[in-house]
């Protein structure tokens, strides 16, 4: 069924790591002359975008066509391959929808290390979608998820320098939401979406991978293993913390049980879609595995963007046996999907028996949608490894992707706002006149107080991080 082998407005301090390792992960993108010729041929499209930008209406929202016909393709047993190549327009819009759920977690994350709420969500559960412009997706937020790690990892998220910080060891890592009645009718199933955010600073977790596999199977002698650092982040908890007395894993499963029970008792068909970018993609795979362990008859789909390898062959086999559907969106030039195990995998696959004894073999699982940076006439095509990994770049390229035979062509009727690419990177051509890393609060969050001094404002009380056990009453669905 599946084939598998045996950001934001801050400047990224890890850019030097990407640059130092870029030679190791180099793709043959063609010679400089070919690239220059391609830029000459396509630059007029970027100029056209600039010329019309002040004359056209606001960019159209993602289409909301009826997708009941795609229910079994996305949330059921039907093979999605014919819809991925060439990329079906409705399927395209659904993939972008899930990517937007992840992007919302980046856009609403408090990155300000001077804030006493750094590492939390900026907004309350009941208004986050409104603040980031995602009410049009017609999902209702029900639960926030928090994570910590006991593994020997780098500082994977910015932490508050404030003496009275809301938390010193936990961070907001994702959330759970459910399709409302209108969206459920449109897609043909009551969908529970679980978006997991990646690291706040793209790539900083790369510098300290432990590369160790650990058991997660239900039996002690089970050979199912995943990367230790990912699983530690997902499963760590401590009685000494406020937000992680239960792990992200426990929080997810408790809310999943509550939601599935409620909608099943109403006689509805329920699906679970775990989705994530970068590190969040790894967490999406771990959550999907747990979901099918808990509910054997529940349709579970994984949709990831720029995700690394997560587990071994047995982990992938377990997902396949339980009919988990996975779609991996991969930028051709991004080396993160070749992590971890990138240095060792090719050689170790030749000596699999030895590799298994060394516990070094990681494997991808799922259908791949590969997209090409050089397809877009709006991008500068400069080598920028952190830019290649950017989530908004993924969504831009999906919007323009046609098929695997025309990887360097961009569809003419793509509607997603090009300016979104530069929210947290600088990948657009200068002629588009879109500044890099433009998504940031006015005055970097400072306001004048009653004495005329510039200070960090107090949060609105309704946006203070909610208790870790807070959930949305299910009466909102009645």
């Amino acid at each position: 069924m599946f084939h598998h082998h045996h950001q934001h407005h801050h400047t990224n301090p890890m850019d030097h790591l990407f640059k130092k390792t870029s030679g190791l992960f180099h793709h043959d993108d063609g010679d400089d002359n070919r690239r220059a010729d391609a830029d000459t041929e396509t630059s007029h499209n970027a100029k056209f975008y600039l010329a019309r930008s002040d004359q056209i209406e606001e960019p159209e929202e993602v289409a909301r066509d009826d997708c009941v016909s795609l229910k079994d393709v996305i949330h059921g047993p039907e093979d999605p391959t014919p819809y991925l190549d060439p990329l079906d327009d409705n399927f395209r819009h659904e993939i972008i929808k899930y990517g937007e759920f992840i992007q919302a977690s980046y856009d609403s994350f408090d990155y300000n290390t001077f804030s006493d709420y750094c590492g939390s969500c900026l907004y309350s559960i009941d208004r986050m979608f409104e603040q980031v412009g995602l009410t049009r997706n017609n999902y209702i937020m029900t639960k926030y998820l928090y994570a910590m790690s006991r593994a020997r990892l780098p500082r994977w998220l910015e932490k508050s320098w404030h003496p009275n910080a809301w938390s010193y060891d936990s961070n907001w890592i994702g959330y759970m939401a459910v399709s409302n009645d209108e969206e459920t009718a449109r897609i043909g199933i009551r969908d529970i979406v679980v978006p997991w955010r990646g690291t706040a600073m793209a790539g900083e977790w790369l510098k300290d991978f432990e590369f160790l596999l650990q058991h997660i199977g239900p039996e002690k002698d089970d050979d199912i293993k995943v990367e230790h650092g990912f699983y530690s982040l997902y499963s760590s908890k401590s009685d000494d913390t406020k937000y992680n007395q239960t792990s992200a894993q426990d929080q997810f499963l408790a809310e999943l049980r509550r939601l599935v029970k409620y909608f099943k008792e109403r006689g509805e068909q329920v699906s679970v879609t775990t989705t994530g970018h970068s590190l969040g993609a790894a967490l999406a795979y771990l959550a999907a595995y747990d979901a099918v362990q808990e509910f054997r008859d529940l349709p579970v789909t994984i949709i990831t963007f720029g995700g690394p390898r997560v587990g071994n062959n047995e982990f992938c086999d377990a997902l396949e046996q339980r009919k988990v559907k996975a779609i991996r969106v991969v930028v051709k030039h991004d080396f993160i999907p070749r992590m971890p195990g990138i240095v060792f995998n090719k050689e170790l696959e030749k000596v699999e028996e030895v590799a298994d004894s060394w516990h070094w073999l990681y494997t991808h699982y799922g259908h791949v949608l590969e997209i090409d940076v050089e397809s877009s006439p709006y991008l500068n095509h400069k080598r920028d490894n952190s830019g290649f990994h950017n989530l908004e770049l993924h969504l831009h390229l999906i919007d323009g992707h046609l098929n695997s035979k025309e990887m360097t062509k961009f569809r003419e009727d793509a509607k997603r706002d090009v300016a979104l690419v530069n929210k947290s990177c600088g990948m657009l051509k200068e002629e588009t006149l879109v500044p890099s890393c433009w998504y940031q609060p006015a005055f970097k969050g400072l306001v004048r107080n009653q004495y005329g001094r510039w200070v960090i404002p107090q949060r609105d009380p309704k946006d203070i991080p909610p208790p870790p056990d807070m959930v949305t009453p299910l009466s909102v669905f009645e």
Side-chain angles (χ1 to χ4, degrees), residues 308-324:
R309 293 183 173 105
V310 180
N312 64 359
N313 291 326
E314 287 75 15
F315 176 68
C316 297
D317 290 341
L319 294 174
E320 184 169 5
Q321 290 168 11
R322 290 161 179 77
K323 297 180 171 56
V324 174

Side-chain angles (χ1 to χ4, degrees), residues 69 88 114 124 251 293 360 473:
S69 62
D88 176 83
F114 299 102
S124 62
Q251 296 164 36
Q293 288 292 323
W360 282 103

Side-chain angles (χ1 to χ4, degrees), residues 218-422:
E219 305 296 335
K220 289 185 178 180
D221 61 349
D222 205 312
D223 289 329
I224 299 172
K225 298 176 185 178
V226 297
E227 201 273 335
H228 175 62
F230 297 152
Y231 195 71
S232 173
L233 186 63
Y234 180 60
S235 62
S236 290
K237 56 186 174 182
S238 172
D239 291 337
D240 298 330
T241 69
K242 178 180 179 181
Y243 284 84
N244 275 116
Q245 292 188 11
T246 59
S247 64
Q249 178 183 32
D250 294 335
Q251 296 164 36
F252 159 66
L253 286 173
E255 179 65 356
L256 184 63
R257 294 184 194 107
R258 184 178 79 110
L259 296 174
V260 171
K261 180 176 183 293
Y262 175 78
F263 290 110
K264 290 266 190 177
E265 287 179 350
R266 293 183 11 159
E268 297 191 37
Q269 188 178 8
V270 182
S271 64
V272 176
T273 307
T274 64
T275 185
H277 168 246
S278 191
L279 170 63
L283 299 178
Y285 271 84
L286 297 176
Y289 174 84
D290 280 343
V292 291
Q293 288 292 323
E294 187 77 19
F295 301 99
R296 295 300 179 100
D297 61 342
L298 196 67
V300 175
T301 298
I302 307 168
I303 299 177
T304 65
F305 304 80
R309 293 183 173 105
V310 180
N312 64 359
N313 291 326
E314 287 75 15
F315 176 68
C316 297
D317 290 341
L319 294 174
E320 184 169 5
Q321 290 168 11
R322 290 161 179 77
K323 297 180 171 56
V324 174
K325 179 165 291 180
I327 297 168
R328 300 173 44 242
V329 181
V330 176
V331 171
K332 177 182 177 182
H333 308 77
D334 182 15
F335 69 74
I336 302 301
R338 279 161 272 162
M339 300 288 289
I342 179 171
V343 178
F344 307 98
N345 253 8
K346 288 183 181 291
E347 292 304 318
L348 289 181
E349 284 172 358
K350 299 176 183 176
V351 286
E352 190 168 324
E353 292 182 5
V354 176
D356 285 341
S357 67
W358 288 350
H359 309 300
W360 282 103
L361 194 59
Y362 291 85
T363 307
H364 273 308
Y365 172 79
H367 301 274
V368 179
L369 173 59
E370 187 178 52
I371 47 183
D372 194 330
V373 170
E374 294 195 10
S375 68
S376 172
Y378 305 108
L379 301 179
N380 57 38
H381 298 163
K382 296 177 182 177
R383 178 162 293 283
D384 180 348
N385 288 309
S386 59
F388 295 158
H389 191 56
N390 186 275
L391 178 56
E392 281 288 4
L393 180 79
H394 283 68
L395 302 183
H396 169 68
L397 294 176
I398 294 167
D399 193 35
H401 180 75
L402 295 170
N403 56 64
S404 61
K405 295 180 180 179
E406 299 177 291
M407 288 283 288
T408 58
K409 289 187 178 180
F410 203 79
R411 72 184 185 115
E412 295 181 357
D413 54 347
K415 295 182 174 65
R416 187 172 178 81
D417 190 351
V418 174
L420 294 173
V421 173
N422 268 15

Side-chain angles (χ1 to χ4, degrees), residues 179-200:
S179 58
N180 66 11
D181 290 348
E182 180 181 350
E183 179 70 0
T184 298
R186 189 184 73 85
I187 63 178
I189 198 166
R190 184 72 70 171
D191 184 39
I192 301 170
V193 64
V194 192
W196 299 91
R197 182 179 42 74
T199 51

